[in-house]
Amino acid sequence: MPLKAPWPLPLTLLVLAATVPAVRAQANGVPAASAAGIYTCIDDQGRKITADRPIPSCTAKEQRVLNKDGSLKAVYPPILTAEERAEKEAQERKLAEARAAHADAVRRDRNLLQRYPTEAPHQKAREAALDTVRVAMKASEARLKALEAERKPLLAEAEFYEGKALPPKLRGQLDANDAAVEAQRAAAVQQQAELERVNRLYDAELARLKLLWAGAVPGSLGPILPQAGPSPVAAGASPIKPSTLR
């Protein structure tokens, strides 16, 4: 049995045709015409346009909706293109990142002030960090002396083979000693660089603390920027971190 339309067919088509513009306008971010009010906008020539429904020529402009008494009812922002939306989102991300970075700087500065109300505890923390590297340096020095002591009898034995090929075992012992000495010397260089790195970090932190002690607002000083330099890890020890990075 064929279905009958609730209205005569021509009337149904007219209703559908009338609703399409409103649906399309809502999909594009334009206020629907059913929102009662007086719509106004300023076009590219500076002319004020007024209508009783959303103004199609002002989709790229801000549209203001007024009540009958002229009071402001609503404001609809311009519809952005895909490129404009992407640019706006990028700007919002940058602002959010800047706000997060500032909040983190405030938190770090407050923690710094709480941990070091004066210079004495900061110096104590510096010495504790340096002591970790100094222990590794002393261990490397002791190992170098031990290797030197181990090498003396090997060299004495090698004198018996002057002008001749050394026995494989003796040759291997000398080579192993050479490799161990080279490794310890490389470690000593790294440890010295680590000692200097730690001092640079604590120097930068102390300079920041002095400004904070003098009344600088937490978060207003930017990041800590120690002087440039190598930062290898001390052999046999974990990297030393300044208190603000803990």
Side-chain angles (χ1 to χ4, degrees):
M1 181 177 178
L3 297 175
K4 293 183 178 181
W7 305 313
L9 187 58
L11 178 59
T12 303
L13 292 176
L14 287 173
V15 171
L16 289 175
T19 59
V20 168
V23 172
R24 183 178 300 162
Q26 289 179 336
N28 289 332
V30 178
S34 58
I38 303 171
Y39 291 79
T40 67
C41 75
I42 305 298
D43 66 10
D44 291 334
Q45 285 73 41
R47 296 174 301 184
K48 183 177 180 179
I49 302 176
T50 303
D52 61 353
R53 66 193 65 197
I55 305 168
S57 61
C58 284
T59 55
K61 304 290 183 180
E62 177 183 273
Q63 296 195 46
R64 301 168 69 86
V65 185
L66 307 178
N67 293 308
K68 291 182 178 180
D69 61 1
S71 61
L72 181 64
K73 181 177 183 180
V75 176
Y76 292 97
I79 299 174
L80 303 178
T81 65
E83 182 178 348
E84 289 171 338
R85 281 196 302 271
E87 183 179 355
K88 182 181 179 181
E89 290 170 0
Q91 291 175 346
E92 290 174 349
R93 282 195 300 271
K94 287 182 180 179
L95 288 174
E97 290 170 0
R99 285 193 295 267
H102 178 70
D104 184 62
V106 171
R107 177 188 59 80
R108 288 187 296 104
D109 284 347
R110 287 175 177 169
N111 289 342
L112 200 61
L113 283 170
Q114 185 176 7
R115 187 176 294 117
Y116 304 121
T118 64
E119 188 170 348
H122 186 262
Q123 182 61 29
K124 184 178 180 180
R126 181 200 294 261
E127 290 302 321
L130 292 174
D131 282 345
T132 303
V133 186
R134 289 166 182 155
V135 168
M137 294 176 76
K138 288 180 180 179
S140 292
E141 292 171 4
R143 180 58 180 153
L144 281 171
K145 289 180 180 178
L147 288 170
E148 185 179 354
E150 292 173 7
R151 188 176 184 81
K152 285 181 180 179
L154 297 176
L155 292 176
E157 184 180 351
E159 290 179 357
F160 292 104
Y161 299 95
E162 188 175 356
K164 300 178 183 178
L166 295 177
K169 181 180 178 181
L170 179 58
R171 179 74 271 168
Q173 290 173 321
L174 285 168
D175 288 344
N177 186 274
D178 287 340
V181 168
E182 184 63 27
Q184 288 302 316
R185 286 175 177 167
V189 172
Q190 289 182 325
Q191 289 156 1
Q192 181 60 39
E194 178 71 0
L195 198 72
E196 295 170 1
R197 185 184 74 88
V198 170
N199 271 318
R200 285 196 304 272
L201 289 172
Y202 274 89
D203 285 344
E205 193 175 73
L206 180 59
R208 187 186 194 89
L209 275 167
K210 288 180 177 179
L211 293 173
L212 292 170
W213 292 330
V217 177
S220 65
L221 302 175
I224 294 180
L225 298 174
Q227 295 179 356
S231 58
V233 176
S238 299
I240 305 299
K241 298 182 180 180
S243 55
T244 53
L245 302 180
R246 289 176 189 156

